[in-house]
Amino acid sequence: MKPWLLLPPEVAYKMAPLALRAHRFVTKPKHCRWRPLEWQGMNFLNPLGTSGGIDKNAEHIEDWWRFGVGFQELGTVTPQPQTSNPGKIIDRSNGDMAIWNKMGFPNLGLEQFVKNISRIPRPYYTPLFLNIGKNRWTPNSKAHEDYIFCLKSLHPFADAFVINISSPNTTGLRDLLHKEQLRQFLEPIVAANLEIAGGNNPTPLLLKLSPDQSIDELGITLETSLDLALDGWILTNTTTQLRGQLPFPDAGGISGAPLAPTSRNLLKQAVEILGNNKQGKLLISSGGVMTPKEAFERLELGADLVQVYAALIFEGPHFFAQVAKSAVKRYS
Ligand SMILES: Cc1cc2nc3c(=O)[nH]c(=O)nc-3n(C[C@H](O)[C@H](O)[C@H](O)COP(=O)(O)O)c2cc1C
């Protein structure tokens, strides 16, 4: 019985931070070690982490460590604070195990994010990836400036950066993934990241991809990012393609179980396209991972790490411990 699934989705969404905080008094930090990974000097206790959007303002880092996460992705943070899109922003279909959202990066902005994350002493218990975006009023021609602004403020706190240009909820954002714009957009970001690091060991940069790209487009995106020496990819963000098939409004992005076949397929295709170029890069699978079995299958398909969002809505935060328990049986 998951009592929060009886609440209207927006109420449950608003109450989730309080419920997480309440665990501070009843839950000890969990050490879930299974299929550990070492990558670019980071140590992952296990390969299952939280997806972008769960902790937008870096307010719950220690809370999630209590549930046994292998790593966390924080954000999306934008340079200036911004509110969510107008109207309804989240919905849920319990029968379909699906989530719909039209949030549009509501967050408290970079300054507050830095205040929050700087309270966490390094080295971190598990790696923290910082997901960065642009404000909705920044035109695409200047989008790279927002991302560079975020890199500059956040580099002391990031184990890796996630460049998010795949959300469907910021008008025109996904255009940056198009072949004609991608290189032009990424080049100055990669150069700034190297300069910030003093030319040596720059913070890894990962690109979060859309599930709505064709396989040809995926190939071009991977080729461009390899050319620019990006360090990895997250496949995928939410989809706009299932809108007609589920009881949701005709806007926004859909995630959860119905997204699984697409995310799984794009992962397979990415592994195939990358071939030997995968060496040393990080592939993260996100989208429709709702069961321990699905998490294991993504790893077996070639993902180094797996992320969840919708599963935490339907199963609750103990999902991480459930997967760890099954993993011990599967991998020992
Ligand atoms: C309510 C909600 C908010 C989200 N916010 C963000 C975000 O701010 N940044 C981001 O990169 N992805 C965001 N996502 C996408 C998730 O990180 C994830 O890629 C997607 O939901 C697919 O995973 P899932 O099927 O496990 O939910 C959001 C998803 C949901 C459901």
Side-chain angles (χ1 to χ4, degrees), residues 164-243:
N164 183 7
I165 46 173
S166 51
S167 166
N169 297 319
T170 298
T171 309
L173 186 71
R174 284 182 169 189
D175 293 348
L176 294 169
L177 277 169
H178 293 168
K179 185 182 170 188
E180 311 76 49
Q181 295 192 41
L182 187 63
R183 182 180 291 272
Q184 226 180 341
F185 164 73
L186 285 176
E187 248 167 6
I189 296 176
V190 171
N193 192 44
L194 190 62
E195 194 186 320
I196 291 165
N200 250 331
N201 293 329
T203 308
L205 293 179
L206 312 174
L207 188 63
K208 185 161 179 179
L209 306 183
S210 157
D212 304 327
Q213 286 200 306
S214 67
I215 304 305
D216 285 350
E217 287 166 336
L218 172 70
I220 293 167
T221 307
L222 293 175
E223 196 182 302
T224 308
S225 15
L226 281 171
D227 247 25
L228 294 172
L230 291 200
D231 299 278
W233 304 270
I234 301 182
L235 303 99
T236 67
N237 213 313
T238 56
T239 179
T240 61
Q241 310 260 301
L242 292 164
R243 281 175 185 164

XYZ file of all heavy atoms in Angstrom, residues 164-243:
614
model
N 21.991 19.797 -19.853
C 20.617 19.412 -20.170
C 20.069 20.298 -21.276
O 19.754 21.465 -21.033
C 19.759 19.515 -18.901
C 18.329 19.065 -19.144
O 18.013 18.550 -20.216
N 17.478 19.258 -18.165
N 19.965 19.723 -22.484
C 19.292 20.446 -23.573
C 18.193 19.543 -24.143
O 17.804 19.698 -25.293
C 20.284 20.911 -24.684
C 21.242 19.792 -25.092
C 21.029 22.143 -24.240
C 22.122 20.164 -26.300
N 17.713 18.611 -23.311
C 16.731 17.650 -23.825
C 15.384 17.737 -23.132
O 14.507 16.911 -23.385
C 17.299 16.233 -23.701
O 17.777 16.005 -22.395
N 15.192 18.732 -22.254
C 13.873 18.880 -21.633
C 12.894 19.429 -22.665
O 13.213 20.377 -23.382
C 13.944 19.838 -20.447
O 12.627 20.201 -20.087
N 11.673 18.849 -22.724
C 10.696 19.372 -23.681
C 9.937 20.577 -23.121
O 9.084 21.127 -23.807
C 9.744 18.184 -23.869
C 9.813 17.425 -22.585
C 11.191 17.646 -22.014
N 10.264 20.984 -21.888
C 9.434 21.987 -21.218
C 10.001 23.403 -21.218
O 9.462 24.296 -20.567
C 9.139 21.527 -19.784
C 8.337 20.243 -19.787
O 7.423 20.097 -20.606
N 8.679 19.310 -18.920
N 11.112 23.608 -21.911
C 11.647 24.955 -22.137
C 11.601 25.153 -23.647
O 12.280 24.427 -24.380
C 13.092 25.069 -21.606
O 13.061 24.841 -20.197
C 13.710 26.436 -21.892
N 10.789 26.122 -24.076
C 10.542 26.271 -25.513
C 11.854 26.392 -26.298
O 12.701 27.219 -25.949
C 9.660 27.525 -25.759
O 8.546 27.412 -24.883
C 9.191 27.628 -27.193
N 12.002 25.577 -27.317
C 13.159 25.667 -28.223
C 14.426 25.017 -27.698
O 15.419 24.930 -28.434
N 14.437 24.552 -26.447
C 15.685 24.019 -25.870
C 16.234 22.839 -26.690
O 17.436 22.759 -26.960
C 15.464 23.586 -24.410
C 16.718 23.144 -23.667
C 17.623 24.339 -23.378
C 16.389 22.436 -22.354
N 15.335 21.949 -27.092
C 15.785 20.754 -27.822
C 16.372 21.085 -29.198
O 17.054 20.245 -29.778
C 14.625 19.772 -27.989
C 14.311 19.024 -26.720
C 13.200 18.038 -26.949
N 13.074 17.136 -25.811
C 12.297 16.060 -25.796
N 11.580 15.751 -26.850
N 12.243 15.299 -24.733
N 16.114 22.292 -29.702
C 16.711 22.681 -30.996
C 18.234 22.651 -30.899
O 18.928 22.457 -31.902
C 16.271 24.094 -31.411
C 14.779 24.147 -31.722
O 14.162 23.064 -31.837
O 14.238 25.261 -31.817
N 18.761 22.851 -29.695
C 20.219 22.852 -29.518
C 20.824 21.482 -29.787
O 22.029 21.357 -29.985
C 20.587 23.340 -28.112
C 20.259 24.804 -27.814
C 20.409 25.107 -26.327
C 21.157 25.739 -28.618
N 19.972 20.438 -29.769
C 20.469 19.093 -30.076
C 20.612 18.877 -31.579
O 21.203 17.892 -32.016
C 19.504 18.036 -29.516
C 19.641 17.645 -28.044
C 18.448 16.813 -27.619
C 20.924 16.857 -27.785
N 20.024 19.785 -32.384
C 20.100 19.601 -33.831
C 21.534 19.773 -34.305
O 22.274 20.625 -33.810
C 19.193 20.596 -34.574
C 17.742 20.341 -34.323
N 16.761 21.225 -34.673
C 17.107 19.300 -33.722
C 15.589 20.742 -34.313
N 15.771 19.578 -33.740
N 21.854 18.988 -35.320
C 23.198 18.942 -35.889
C 23.786 20.353 -36.111
O 24.927 20.627 -35.762
C 23.078 18.199 -37.224
C 24.342 17.925 -37.931
C 24.022 17.219 -39.250
C 25.276 17.150 -40.088
N 24.997 16.651 -41.432
N 22.972 21.250 -36.696
C 23.491 22.579 -37.074
C 23.847 23.407 -35.835
O 24.682 24.300 -35.899
C 22.470 23.383 -37.899
C 21.829 22.657 -39.074
C 20.765 21.658 -38.631
O 19.894 22.038 -37.830
O 20.818 20.487 -39.076
N 23.172 23.154 -34.724
C 23.391 24.003 -33.540
C 24.291 23.365 -32.488
O 24.896 24.066 -31.683
C 22.048 24.348 -32.885
C 21.172 25.192 -33.781
C 19.975 25.768 -33.027
O 20.098 26.202 -31.883
N 18.831 25.775 -33.661
N 24.334 22.022 -32.478
C 24.977 21.332 -31.348
C 26.452 21.696 -31.182
O 26.903 22.052 -30.090
C 24.811 19.817 -31.513
C 25.281 18.985 -30.326
C 24.466 19.281 -29.072
C 25.210 17.487 -30.637
N 27.198 21.629 -32.264
C 28.634 21.891 -32.169
C 28.897 23.326 -31.728
O 29.704 23.587 -30.837
C 29.312 21.598 -33.506
C 30.836 21.800 -33.491
C 31.423 21.484 -34.832
N 31.349 20.066 -35.137
C 32.267 19.179 -34.790
N 33.347 19.562 -34.131
N 32.136 17.905 -35.113
N 28.165 24.234 -32.372
C 28.321 25.667 -32.065
C 28.011 25.952 -30.589
O 28.647 26.768 -29.951
C 27.317 26.426 -32.916
C 27.885 27.632 -33.596
C 26.777 28.306 -34.411
O 25.747 27.710 -34.726
N 26.988 29.553 -34.727
N 27.015 25.244 -30.065
C 26.610 25.413 -28.675
C 27.642 24.801 -27.717
O 28.037 25.415 -26.723
C 25.226 24.766 -28.478
C 24.852 24.516 -27.047
C 24.499 25.565 -26.204
C 24.855 23.222 -26.523
C 24.170 25.335 -24.865
C 24.522 22.985 -25.200
C 24.174 24.047 -24.373
N 28.099 23.579 -28.056
C 28.966 22.856 -27.116
C 30.408 23.366 -27.089
O 31.054 23.366 -26.031
C 28.978 21.359 -27.455
C 27.741 20.546 -27.073
C 27.889 19.110 -27.580
C 27.520 20.531 -25.557
N 30.906 23.785 -28.259
C 32.333 24.134 -28.348
C 32.780 25.137 -27.275
O 33.760 24.878 -26.561
C 32.656 24.656 -29.750
C 33.555 23.696 -30.495
C 33.646 23.990 -31.989
O 33.099 25.018 -32.457
O 34.274 23.188 -32.687
N 32.087 26.276 -27.132
C 32.538 27.230 -26.106
C 32.399 26.697 -24.676
O 33.180 27.063 -23.798
C 31.620 28.447 -26.313
C 30.515 28.011 -27.204
C 30.969 26.799 -27.935
N 31.455 25.778 -24.467
C 31.271 25.210 -23.125
C 32.451 24.302 -22.783
O 33.022 24.377 -21.684
C 29.929 24.432 -23.049
C 28.761 25.394 -23.259
C 29.793 23.684 -21.740
C 27.394 24.738 -23.313
N 32.832 23.472 -23.757
C 33.964 22.560 -23.541
C 35.243 23.384 -23.302
O 36.033 23.087 -22.395
C 34.133 21.611 -24.757
C 35.410 20.806 -24.662
C 32.923 20.690 -24.873
N 35.409 24.446 -24.101
C 36.617 25.285 -23.963
C 36.628 25.962 -22.587
O 37.664 25.988 -21.904
C 36.650 26.325 -25.081
N 35.488 26.478 -22.158
C 35.428 27.165 -20.852
C 35.705 26.179 -19.721
O 36.406 26.498 -18.750
C 34.049 27.803 -20.675
N 35.193 24.969 -19.858
C 35.382 23.957 -18.807
C 36.862 23.625 -18.648
O 37.369 23.473 -17.524
C 34.570 22.707 -19.165
C 34.460 21.720 -18.033
O 34.222 22.102 -16.886
N 34.654 20.457 -18.324
N 37.569 23.559 -19.780
C 39.008 23.271 -19.761
C 39.764 24.446 -19.134
O 40.676 24.255 -18.308
C 39.485 23.018 -21.193
C 40.885 22.471 -21.353
C 41.007 21.096 -20.685
C 41.246 22.323 -22.844
N 39.359 25.638 -19.503
C 40.031 26.841 -18.973
C 39.835 26.950 -17.456
O 40.768 27.246 -16.717
C 39.460 28.074 -19.681
C 40.296 29.320 -19.474
C 39.595 30.535 -20.066
O 39.011 30.424 -21.157
O 39.628 31.591 -19.397
N 38.611 26.662 -16.995
C 38.316 26.710 -15.553
C 39.236 25.757 -14.793
O 39.689 26.040 -13.688
C 36.827 26.348 -15.296
C 35.906 27.437 -15.825
C 36.561 26.102 -13.810
C 34.443 27.023 -15.951
N 39.528 24.611 -15.414
C 40.380 23.600 -14.761
C 41.865 23.926 -14.916
O 42.715 23.148 -14.488
C 40.076 22.231 -15.347
N 42.191 25.043 -15.559
C 43.590 25.411 -15.768
C 44.244 24.529 -16.827
O 45.463 24.316 -16.786
N 43.446 23.971 -17.737
C 43.986 23.185 -18.846
C 44.220 21.725 -18.518
O 44.639 20.956 -19.378
N 43.948 21.321 -17.291
C 44.262 19.963 -16.845
C 43.080 19.308 -16.159
O 42.444 19.951 -15.317
C 45.370 20.041 -15.781
C 46.651 19.501 -16.325
O 46.636 18.640 -17.194
N 47.760 20.038 -15.819
N 42.835 18.031 -16.424
C 41.766 17.291 -15.742
C 40.473 18.073 -15.570
O 40.024 18.297 -14.445
C 42.226 16.843 -14.345
C 43.313 15.816 -14.435
O 43.334 15.039 -15.403
N 44.204 15.822 -13.480
N 39.842 18.498 -16.661
C 38.581 19.221 -16.503
C 37.499 18.325 -15.892
O 37.570 17.100 -15.999
C 38.214 19.603 -17.940
C 38.950 18.644 -18.805
C 40.202 18.274 -18.072
N 36.530 18.939 -15.240
C 35.398 18.175 -14.684
C 34.674 17.475 -15.839
O 34.395 18.109 -16.861
C 34.415 19.150 -13.981
O 35.161 19.942 -13.062
C 33.310 18.418 -13.254
N 34.373 16.181 -15.702
C 33.687 15.477 -16.797
C 32.374 16.153 -17.180
O 31.634 16.626 -16.323
C 33.438 14.080 -16.219
C 34.437 13.913 -15.144
C 34.697 15.279 -14.583
N 32.132 16.180 -18.500
C 30.890 16.761 -19.030
C 30.063 15.647 -19.665
O 30.549 14.934 -20.548
C 31.201 17.794 -20.119
C 31.911 19.088 -19.724
C 32.146 19.949 -20.966
C 31.099 19.870 -18.691
N 28.817 15.524 -19.226
C 27.900 14.533 -19.803
C 26.763 15.267 -20.495
O 26.358 16.347 -20.043
C 27.307 13.641 -18.705
C 28.276 13.042 -17.682
C 27.515 12.318 -16.577
C 29.240 12.076 -18.350
N 26.243 14.682 -21.562
C 25.136 15.294 -22.290
C 23.884 14.442 -22.077
O 23.918 13.229 -22.271
C 25.490 15.352 -23.778
C 24.550 16.125 -24.690
C 24.489 17.609 -24.315
C 24.997 15.984 -26.156
N 22.787 15.097 -21.666
C 21.528 14.354 -21.471
C 20.702 14.419 -22.746
O 20.432 15.502 -23.267
C 20.763 14.922 -20.278
C 19.513 14.119 -19.955
C 19.017 14.371 -18.561
C 17.754 13.584 -18.283
N 17.264 13.783 -16.944
N 20.316 13.247 -23.242
C 19.697 13.154 -24.566
C 18.184 12.971 -24.500
O 17.642 12.519 -23.492
C 20.324 11.990 -25.347
C 21.846 12.004 -25.475
C 22.313 10.840 -26.340
C 22.333 13.319 -26.078
N 17.558 13.293 -25.633
C 16.099 13.165 -25.747
C 15.744 11.778 -26.286
O 16.419 11.272 -27.180
C 15.599 14.238 -26.715
O 14.360 13.858 -27.251
N 14.648 11.204 -25.783
C 14.217 9.911 -26.333
C 13.534 10.079 -27.684
O 13.218 9.095 -28.349
C 13.211 9.410 -25.298
C 12.666 10.653 -24.669
C 13.766 11.664 -24.693
N 13.318 11.332 -28.080
C 12.557 11.579 -29.305
C 13.459 11.810 -30.515
O 12.977 12.195 -31.583
C 11.591 12.757 -29.081
C 10.671 12.486 -27.892
O 10.338 11.297 -27.675
O 10.315 13.429 -27.165
N 14.763 11.585 -30.362
C 15.678 11.652 -31.508
C 15.584 10.344 -32.296
O 15.423 9.271 -31.705
C 17.129 11.778 -31.026
C 17.490 13.160 -30.482
C 19.003 13.391 -30.489
O 19.757 12.592 -29.948
N 19.434 14.480 -31.087
N 15.738 10.444 -33.625
C 15.795 9.220 -34.437
C 17.177 8.579 -34.233
O 18.083 9.221 -33.675
C 15.606 9.566 -35.910
O 16.728 10.316 -36.348
N 17.331 7.361 -34.705
C 18.624 6.686 -34.547
C 19.711 7.447 -35.320
O 20.840 7.583 -34.850
C 18.544 5.214 -35.032
C 17.432 4.473 -34.276
C 19.882 4.494 -34.852
C 17.528 4.500 -32.771
N 19.340 7.989 -36.492
C 20.323 8.781 -37.259
C 20.750 10.008 -36.467
O 21.939 10.346 -36.400
C 19.719 9.249 -38.594
C 19.634 8.091 -39.586
O 20.205 7.022 -39.281
O 18.981 8.273 -40.631
N 19.779 10.676 -35.882
C 20.099 11.872 -35.075
C 20.955 11.493 -33.864
O 21.892 12.213 -33.510
C 18.811 12.562 -34.608
C 18.090 13.294 -35.724
C 16.664 13.693 -35.355
O 16.050 13.075 -34.469
O 16.157 14.632 -35.980
N 20.635 10.363 -33.251
C 21.437 9.900 -32.113
C 22.887 9.712 -32.556
O 23.826 10.138 -31.863
C 20.870 8.578 -31.568
C 21.705 7.874 -30.507
C 21.693 8.664 -29.193
C 21.209 6.449 -30.250
N 23.071 9.093 -33.724
C 24.423 8.859 -34.258
C 25.184 10.170 -34.415
O 26.353 10.272 -34.021
N 24.508 11.178 -34.956
C 25.174 12.469 -35.180
C 25.513 13.130 -33.840
O 26.605 13.675 -33.646
C 24.262 13.390 -36.030
C 24.130 12.798 -37.447
C 24.794 14.815 -36.086
C 23.025 13.421 -38.281
N 24.585 13.041 -32.891
C 24.831 13.629 -31.567
C 26.031 12.962 -30.893
O 26.899 13.638 -30.323
C 23.578 13.472 -30.671
O 22.465 14.002 -31.363
C 23.741 14.178 -29.347
N 26.093 11.633 -31.001
C 27.213 10.916 -30.367
C 28.527 11.269 -31.051
O 29.539 11.509 -30.380
C 26.971 9.402 -30.409
C 25.798 8.882 -29.565
C 25.599 7.391 -29.789
C 26.024 9.155 -28.078
N 28.493 11.348 -32.375
C 29.712 11.655 -33.133
C 30.217 13.062 -32.764
O 31.412 13.250 -32.508
C 29.366 11.583 -34.614
C 30.543 11.502 -35.544
C 30.047 11.483 -36.990
O 29.261 10.583 -37.350
O 30.433 12.406 -37.743
N 29.298 14.014 -32.722
C 29.708 15.388 -32.375
C 30.276 15.421 -30.963
O 31.304 16.060 -30.705
C 28.495 16.353 -32.467
O 27.903 16.190 -33.743
C 28.886 17.789 -32.238
N 29.622 14.733 -30.032
C 30.141 14.790 -28.665
C 31.464 14.054 -28.515
O 32.311 14.471 -27.723
C 29.127 14.353 -27.613
O 28.036 13.678 -28.093
N 31.666 13.001 -29.293
C 32.981 12.327 -29.255
C 34.063 13.254 -29.792
O 35.150 13.375 -29.212
C 32.947 11.055 -30.105
C 32.301 9.818 -29.482
C 32.143 8.718 -30.533
C 33.097 9.302 -28.285
N 33.719 13.932 -30.876
C 34.648 14.889 -31.501
C 35.084 15.975 -30.519
O 36.212 16.449 -30.541
C 33.870 15.612 -32.610
C 34.383 15.261 -33.964
O 34.955 14.173 -34.089
O 34.189 16.094 -34.872
N 34.136 16.376 -29.674
C 34.437 17.451 -28.718
C 34.932 16.902 -27.375
O 35.057 17.642 -26.404
C 33.180 18.311 -28.495
C 32.730 19.098 -29.734
C 31.384 19.759 -29.497
C 33.763 20.158 -30.099
N 35.179 15.601 -27.338
C 35.726 14.931 -26.152
C 34.837 15.050 -24.916
O 35.312 15.151 -23.778
C 37.139 15.435 -25.846
N 33.508 15.021 -25.130
C 32.612 14.918 -23.966
C 32.855 13.566 -23.299
O 33.376 12.639 -23.928
C 31.141 15.020 -24.379
C 30.600 16.344 -24.885
C 29.085 16.370 -24.766
C 31.170 17.538 -24.155
N 32.441 13.444 -22.042
C 32.807 12.255 -21.274
C 31.718 11.196 -21.185
O 31.974 10.095 -20.685
C 33.213 12.681 -19.860
C 34.411 13.598 -19.920
O 35.528 13.105 -20.031
O 34.211 14.837 -19.924
N 30.500 11.541 -21.605
C 29.443 10.532 -21.536
C 28.076 11.106 -21.815
O 27.929 12.290 -22.147
N 27.080 10.240 -21.673
C 25.710 10.578 -22.066
C 24.710 9.973 -21.084
O 24.944 8.898 -20.527
C 25.412 10.009 -23.463
C 26.399 10.495 -24.476
C 26.317 11.617 -25.244
C 27.665 9.885 -24.815
N 27.436 11.742 -26.027
C 28.275 10.687 -25.787
C 28.320 8.738 -24.382
C 29.511 10.387 -26.337
C 29.562 8.428 -24.924
C 30.139 9.242 -25.895
N 23.582 10.666 -20.949
C 22.440 10.108 -20.211
C 21.314 9.910 -21.209
O 20.894 10.853 -21.886
C 21.992 11.051 -19.077
C 23.139 11.286 -18.102
C 20.760 10.479 -18.373
C 22.795 12.169 -16.924
N 20.857 8.692 -21.326
C 19.752 8.384 -22.239
C 18.625 7.793 -21.401
O 18.785 6.662 -20.932
C 20.150 7.343 -23.269
C 21.339 7.588 -24.181
C 22.577 6.883 -23.666
C 21.001 7.080 -25.578
N 17.549 8.444 -21.122
C 17.032 9.618 -21.771
C 16.233 10.517 -20.816
O 15.872 10.094 -19.718
C 16.029 9.225 -22.896
O 14.876 8.628 -22.265
C 16.620 8.278 -23.877
N 15.875 11.661 -21.333
C 14.932 12.570 -20.678
C 13.496 12.070 -20.937
O 13.306 10.960 -21.421
C 15.148 13.989 -21.235
C 14.895 15.050 -20.183
O 13.874 14.990 -19.486
N 15.780 16.012 -20.057
N 12.502 12.899 -20.657
C 11.094 12.513 -20.869
C 10.736 12.613 -22.357
O 11.398 13.315 -23.125
C 10.157 13.430 -20.068
O 10.423 14.788 -20.438
C 10.364 13.291 -18.578
N 9.635 11.950 -22.729
C 9.232 11.928 -24.151
C 7.971 12.757 -24.403
O 7.113 12.875 -23.526
C 8.971 10.476 -24.634
O 8.573 10.519 -26.002
C 7.904 9.764 -23.835
N 7.884 13.275 -25.627
C 6.655 13.966 -26.044
C 5.846 13.047 -26.972
O 4.764 13.410 -27.399
C 7.000 15.257 -26.824
O 7.744 14.904 -27.991
C 7.825 16.213 -25.993
N 6.393 11.869 -27.273
C 5.800 11.032 -28.322
C 4.649 10.150 -27.863
O 3.986 9.556 -28.678
C 6.884 10.136 -28.934
C 8.130 10.884 -29.358
C 8.175 11.175 -30.835
O 8.135 10.271 -31.638
N 8.232 12.443 -31.193
N 4.444 10.047 -26.553
C 3.388 9.147 -26.076
C 2.121 9.909 -25.702
O 1.201 9.340 -25.120
C 3.903 8.385 -24.835
C 5.021 7.376 -25.070
C 5.688 6.991 -23.753
C 4.465 6.127 -25.748
N 2.130 11.206 -26.016
C 1.052 12.064 -25.527
C -0.355 11.565 -25.857
O -1.213 11.546 -25.004
C 1.236 13.483 -26.062
C 2.278 14.283 -25.308
C 2.452 15.596 -25.990
N 3.510 16.402 -25.423
C 4.029 17.446 -26.053
N 3.595 17.787 -27.250
N 4.979 18.162 -25.479
